[in-house]
Amino acid sequence: MERFKFILFRPLQLLPVLFGVSVISFVMVRSIPGDPVRLLLGTRATPEVAAKIRAQYGLDEPLMTQYLLFLKNLFQGDFGRSIVYKTSTFNVVAERIGPTVFLLAYVLVMAILITLILSTWAARRQGRLPDVIVRSYSMVGLGLPTFWLGIILIMQFSIALNWFPTSGYGESVAENLYYLFLPAVSITLALSPVLIRNLRASLISEMESDYATAARSRGMSENGIYFSHVLPNSLVPAITLLGINFAWLIGGTVVVEQVFSVPGIGQLMISSIFARDYLVVQLITLVVAIAVIAVNFIVDVLTAVIDPRVHL
Amino acid sequence: MTIRRVITASLVAATAFLSVLSYTTVANAGGVLKIAREQDSTTFDPIFTILAPDIWVLNQFYSKLVRDNADATDVIPDLAESWQVSPDGKTYTFNLRSAVFSDGTPVKSSDVVFSLKRVRDAEQSIMAGLYTVMTDVHAPDDETVVITLSSAAPSFMSTLAMFASAIVPEHAVEAAGEDFGQNPIGSGPFILKEWKRGNKVVLEKNSNYWEEGLPKLDGIEWIYAPNDNTRMLKLTAGEVDAATFVPWNQIRQLQDNPKTQVQIDKSTRMDHILINHNNAPLDNKAVRQALNMAIDQDAIVEKVTFGFGVKANSFFPLDGMYYNKNNPNYSYDPEKAKAILADEGVTNLELDFVIVSGDSAHEQTAVLVKAQCAKAGITVNIVKMEGGQQWDALVAGEYDLGMMWWVNDVSDPDQKAQFVVSGDEENRSYYTNYKNPEVTKLVNEAALELDPDKRKQMYYKIQSIAKDDVHWIDLYYSPFRNASLTSVTGFIQNPLGRYMLTTADKQ
């Protein structure tokens, strides 16, 4: 019962958070010095034209009025028009979400696979060569800047070996798996070390726990103990950590999309900030906030499903 | 045991995926030129934009009455087969050729009238100011357009050759409204096939194009690749046929690569340093001259542009209309600069130099300027700003020196002279606050002078006075540089920055 209540009411908590996010993004993007109209027109348009454009986008109104108008339109499902693209902000952002979601999903699958495999390999051979290799990997991986890694991967696998395209986005799922392979690898290499270190440590401590010893004494095989007891019990902190890192992960895609020219919302975010396309920046911020909250919600539910002791 | 099954299944999936990878290759269609560029398009409506990445593409969609020739020194026929100008220079009569828009409807003189009135009158037409000289545009018959000007304007033909003068079909614009820029229709060599923002713009040959045998290409793909390194790597990997805006330090490398070539085209771009004449002692001409002498243009050309730039001696573009190649220039002389400053009683001159962070050529220039000025006893503080922030600082006059650049929209020099030295209230000579009544008068007179020789003398004089006054500091003329595979021919950019893709080809 309590569980259902949680699932029903937790999304309501979204509202105050989203309100806060909308205020902060509104204020922050407008407090960056720089005038969107001037950036759009350069020096060569007359002040009359600039004034007309400013009026059309409501930029000549006081900030408070602008914000209230933004909120009012938001409730009517209208996200406003992009001053740069001269079309609905919703369209501009919506057509860029696909590549980012694809990239994120790709990274998650890769990171989870690598984490499971390497942590298991290391934990079950604690202190031996595999463990040393995995631990060194997590140390090195943590220290590599994603953008640098991206360029190195391009140089090696696209230019020297010609295995993958240097950048861009494909037309079909199969093509995208191919185009986004290097971008996904560069984020995974940065994300997985944290997850591996954490999971390896949990696995080791669970393996040495009393219930594992008890199971061994009952003659259960090491594989049996590992897969039916140790691993499930170690997954809870790993999943929580993944949820917490989701916000970081989105930050990572912003950088990687830039390096690999992936037409996702990260790249749009950067170009929109430079152009002071306020409404686009605000909408992306909202979308990202909703995504982060949703993922953490899913993580909470998953945790409860895996570990019945967890109360929501 | 479910987790074990999951792991097994994942491994199988991963293996399957890797085998898919080895069979996928990048398809290379024949006759389609793929160009990687550093900026993305925003709209293809010719009157609502002034951004280079929009203009590069939309020029392929539309014809105009007239167009610039390849070196932008004259205008040549486009939709207008021929034209007559009345002796007083106020009435222009254009005779249209027969052509059709890409939707199959014929180009009528009423469409021309509609397009030119639209660019002059539409609420948000960015370049409207250049067209207010037209008092009347009308079509006596379907093949003739007559334009009447309020006064003779020698720059008018170059205005008609500008992107904003593109001829659009009245019916399509009326039907689409503000969304016309998303679904452009014109009578140019190519049509828009697909546009994925942030990714690519796909163009297809317009089979109805009026010019016999052109365009040579079947299509063009403009691919967005903002990162300089990525863009050049895409070219060397053969994923694209061409790449725009080659960084200075990669030109030689691409020239040496047997697979690639670098096209270096003369441009109207020049890079310069703005001076805020309102801030003492920069209001003193002698101090500005000393500052100019303290800067070593040759060293900047050599170090920043690797010798590919050309030292600028005038604010007029290199070899453009009425450019004076013999315009006097200051020679680098830090000792003399020091002496002048001492004579003027200026000690401990300290200047804030605002530049855009991330623009590596400008950052390098600023570092050189700082070191050079130090030799003349001038302290330069480099202030790095984000692009929009720098612009705000320039407009607000919160700077001493500012790094900037300029590319002409039109081949005629009037527009630039008005903006850069006339000192009008709006632009205050590109925010430098430079005002010399003699120059203002000359600029206004030259705008109306119909005799090319007299006009030339006026512009020569303007160039020389502006140089003497040091309205800003000329640094270097910067050629356009595009790289392509050696199989690509005719991939050139005219001095105004337009890509001449109608005649480009791919073997």
Side-chain angles (χ1 to χ4, degrees):
Chain A
M1 195 52 217
E2 247 175 88
R3 229 171 244 190
F4 286 114
K5 245 192 216 163
F6 172 82
I7 292 174
L8 275 177
F9 288 106
R10 179 67 183 272
L12 284 182
Q13 292 175 2
L14 254 174
L15 289 177
V17 176
L18 288 183
F19 177 73
V21 169
S22 79
V23 174
I24 293 172
S25 64
F26 182 91
V27 172
M28 280 188 73
V29 71
R30 278 173 179 72
S31 51
I32 313 173
D35 173 2
V37 177
R38 196 175 293 130
L39 284 168
L40 192 71
L41 300 184
T43 43
R44 306 181 202 180
T46 59
E48 291 81 51
V49 175
K52 275 177 194 155
I53 294 181
R54 224 168 253 128
Q56 197 212 351
Y57 289 90
L59 294 167
D60 49 352
E61 304 280 349
L63 272 191
M64 197 61 205
T65 321
Q66 283 188 47
Y67 182 70
L68 291 178
L69 189 71
F70 168 69
L71 267 196
K72 190 183 133 227
N73 289 341
L74 202 60
F75 278 112
Q76 292 166 352
D78 174 8
F79 299 92
R81 277 177 90 81
S82 153
I83 190 168
V84 170
Y85 290 103
K86 293 164 192 72
T87 181
S88 119
T89 303
F90 181 81
N91 285 346
V92 173
V93 176
E95 60 189 28
R96 299 288 197 91
I97 284 183
T100 303
V101 170
F102 197 100
L103 181 59
L104 283 174
Y106 207 167
V107 170
L108 281 178
V109 171
M110 251 188 213
I112 291 171
L113 278 181
I114 287 188
T115 306
L116 284 176
I117 294 167
L118 290 188
S119 313
T120 305
W121 197 43
R124 298 189 64 180
R125 289 161 187 78
Q126 198 197 341
R128 305 206 327 250
L129 187 62
D131 192 24
V132 174
I133 294 174
V134 171
R135 276 158 62 195
S136 326
Y137 161 72
S138 358
M139 285 302 288
V140 175
L142 270 181
L144 296 176
T146 322
F147 68 89
W148 176 83
L149 196 62
I151 291 174
I152 295 295
L153 288 176
I154 295 176
M155 304 279 276
Q156 190 56 42
F157 294 101
S158 306
I159 305 295
L161 296 170
N162 207 4
W163 287 358
F164 294 99
T166 54
S167 60
Y169 191 66
E171 305 280 345
S172 62
V173 173
E175 258 186 49
N176 286 338
L177 285 174
Y178 177 55
Y179 272 90
L180 296 183
F181 185 76
L182 292 184
V185 166
S186 40
I187 305 177
T188 303
L189 287 182
L191 173 67
S192 58
V194 187
L195 302 177
I196 292 172
R197 283 165 73 110
N198 173 276
L199 185 59
R200 174 189 162 274
S202 320
L203 286 172
I204 288 173
S205 83
E206 294 292 335
M207 274 187 215
E208 287 160 358
S209 63
D210 295 343
Y211 72 82
T213 315
R216 265 181 217 113
S217 68
R218 277 186 279 119
M220 205 170 167
S221 74
E222 277 300 323
N223 274 343
I225 299 173
Y226 182 78
F227 284 109
S228 43
H229 298 297
V230 172
L231 187 55
N233 283 330
S234 309
L235 280 182
V236 173
I239 289 175
T240 312
L241 188 68
L242 189 59
I244 293 170
N245 271 294
F246 188 72
W248 175 88
L249 184 57
I250 290 182
T253 60
V254 171
V255 175
V256 164
E257 282 179 12
Q258 203 70 8
V259 174
F260 288 92
S261 310
V262 180
I265 54 170
Q267 199 190 58
L268 178 64
M269 180 81 158
I270 291 191
S271 66
S272 302
I273 290 175
F274 279 128
R276 310 289 189 270
D277 198 347
Y278 296 147
L279 293 180
V280 173
V281 177
Q282 283 166 240
L283 183 57
I284 296 178
T285 315
L286 276 181
V287 168
V288 169
I290 292 174
V292 169
I293 295 168
V295 164
N296 280 294
F297 173 68
I298 293 169
V299 164
D300 287 346
V301 175
L302 259 185
T303 314
V305 170
I306 295 176
D307 187 347
R309 288 169 307 175
V310 173
H311 292 287
L312 289 171
Chain B
M1 291 291 143
T2 49
I3 288 177
R4 177 180 255 174
R5 237 179 277 145
V6 169
I7 294 174
T8 319
S10 320
L11 287 174
V12 171
T15 320
F17 157 61
L18 285 172
S19 44
V20 168
L21 282 187
S22 46
Y23 286 106
T24 328
T25 44
V26 187
N28 249 336
V32 175
L33 187 73
K34 292 184 179 179
I35 309 166
R37 55 168 176 169
E38 76 278 17
Q39 287 172 291
D40 191 21
S41 294
T42 67
T43 177
F44 300 129
D45 192 317
I47 70 166
F48 293 142
T49 185
I50 193 171
L51 302 175
D54 294 342
I55 300 167
W56 294 340
V57 181
L58 70 83
N59 262 317
Q60 316 305 329
F61 299 145
Y62 305 105
S63 295
K64 293 156 285 189
L65 283 177
V66 291
R67 54 184 165 174
D68 290 298
N69 65 356
D71 56 2
T73 48
D74 203 359
V75 294
I76 55 173
D78 201 353
L79 282 176
E81 247 169 349
S82 60
W83 56 89
Q84 298 86 40
V85 187
S86 67
D88 64 356
K90 286 187 181 177
T91 309
Y92 287 67
T93 308
F94 295 91
N95 311 305
L96 305 186
R97 70 177 78 245
S98 83
V100 290
F101 288 113
S102 56
D103 64 357
T105 57
V107 179
K108 294 195 300 270
S109 52
S110 57
D111 293 309
V112 177
V113 172
F114 170 78
S115 305
L116 294 179
K117 284 189 172 163
R118 181 170 181 257
V119 64
R120 182 189 66 185
D121 302 333
E123 273 234 312
Q124 294 174 19
S125 167
I126 294 179
M127 304 305 269
L130 288 176
Y131 296 85
T132 48
V133 66
M134 300 189 301
T135 46
D136 182 56
V137 191
H138 72 275
D141 60 58
D142 267 0
E143 287 87 39
T144 315
V145 174
V146 179
I147 302 175
T148 317
L149 307 184
S150 55
S151 58
S155 61
F156 186 63
M157 287 305 276
S158 351
T159 303
L160 287 182
M162 192 177 61
F163 61 92
S165 312
I167 304 308
V168 293
E170 180 171 10
H171 62 275
V173 175
E174 293 293 339
E178 260 209 329
D179 289 333
F180 180 72
Q182 318 286 320
N183 305 294
I185 293 171
S187 55
F190 293 93
I191 57 179
L192 179 63
K193 190 177 165 198
E194 192 187 14
W195 179 14
K196 289 186 174 166
R197 291 189 194 85
N199 187 359
K200 59 182 174 183
V201 184
V202 183
L203 277 61
E204 205 174 39
K205 181 180 190 158
N206 177 6
S207 49
N208 291 327
Y209 185 55
W210 58 267
E211 212 171 351
E212 199 75 29
L214 293 177
K216 291 181 180 165
L217 291 166
D218 294 324
I220 301 166
E221 282 185 25
W222 295 93
I223 296 159
Y224 178 47
N227 184 292
D228 282 350
N229 287 315
T230 314
R231 198 167 59 252
M232 298 308 133
L233 290 175
K234 271 179 108 69
L235 178 69
T236 39
E239 285 170 33
V240 293
D241 304 300
T244 64
F245 209 75
V246 181
W248 296 114
N249 60 6
Q250 295 196 30
I251 295 179
R252 292 245 158 78
Q253 201 183 330
L254 289 164
Q255 282 175 334
D256 291 345
N257 186 334
K259 289 192 300 187
T260 56
Q261 58 192 356
V262 182
Q263 177 80 27
I264 295 181
D265 291 314
K266 198 175 286 174
S267 87
T268 54
R269 172 165 169 155
M270 77 175 284
D271 294 59
H272 53 259
I273 299 175
L274 300 175
I275 302 174
N276 187 351
H277 294 228
N278 273 3
N279 286 4
L282 296 174
D283 53 348
N284 180 341
K285 180 164 129 181
V287 172
R288 294 196 301 271
Q289 288 177 336
L291 186 64
N292 204 334
M293 287 173 205
I295 290 169
D296 183 357
Q297 282 178 273
D298 288 316
I300 292 171
V301 168
E302 198 43 52
K303 298 231 169 69
V304 176
T305 75
F306 290 75
F308 292 105
V310 175
K311 183 171 159 178
N313 65 332
S314 152
F315 76 94
F316 272 38
L318 179 67
D319 293 342
M321 234 183 237
Y322 305 125
Y323 161 75
N324 182 4
K325 69 174 192 300
N326 297 318
N327 198 45
N329 201 1
Y330 299 94
S331 42
Y332 174 56
D333 194 342
E335 290 311 316
K336 195 172 168 196
K338 220 180 213 170
I340 294 174
L341 290 177
D343 283 350
E344 297 296 320
V346 175
T347 49
N348 297 328
L349 182 57
E350 201 172 326
L351 302 169
D352 282 345
F353 189 10
V354 298
I355 64 164
V356 173
S357 61
D359 183 326
S360 56
H362 284 181
E363 286 183 356
Q364 289 161 15
T365 310
V367 171
L368 288 173
V369 166
K370 184 185 168 92
Q372 292 161 1
C373 285
K375 286 187 192 147
I378 304 167
T379 311
V380 170
N381 303 318
I382 299 174
V383 184
K384 289 190 191 180
M385 294 180 172
E386 187 271 340
Q389 191 189 1
Q390 187 216 28
W391 214 322
D392 269 12
L394 297 179
V395 175
E398 287 160 359
Y399 76 101
D400 298 317
L401 304 175
M403 191 71 207
M404 256 297 158
W405 54 276
W406 173 286
V407 179
N408 276 33
D409 297 312
V410 288
S411 47
D412 191 276
D414 177 49
Q415 187 198 25
K416 189 172 185 183
Q418 296 282 0
F419 273 93
V420 169
V421 292
S422 80
D424 68 80
E425 283 308 304
E426 285 160 20
N427 304 293
R428 309 189 309 273
S429 297
Y430 213 145
Y431 313 123
T432 59
N433 305 303
Y434 167 63
K435 196 162 171 82
N436 179 335
E438 194 189 351
V439 171
T440 310
K441 185 163 165 276
L442 273 169
V443 169
N444 292 334
E445 284 171 5
L448 303 175
E449 180 55 59
L450 289 176
D451 179 344
D453 277 332
K454 282 189 192 156
R455 201 164 174 234
K456 180 168 131 187
Q457 289 315 316
M458 288 171 169
Y459 282 125
Y460 274 27
K461 190 142 191 223
I462 291 169
Q463 292 173 66
S464 114
I465 301 174
K467 177 60 95 174
D468 184 56
D469 284 341
V470 195
H471 68 107
W472 72 22
I473 295 170
D474 299 312
L475 289 180
Y476 56 90
Y477 298 119
S478 169
F480 291 131
R481 56 269 181 213
N482 295 285
S484 61
L485 300 178
T486 43
S487 54
V488 175
T489 56
F491 183 62
I492 55 171
Q493 220 177 344
N494 84 355
L496 301 173
R498 312 293 167 258
Y499 285 94
M500 313 304 265
L501 293 171
T502 316
T503 47
D505 205 359
K506 194 175 140 180
Q507 261 107 51

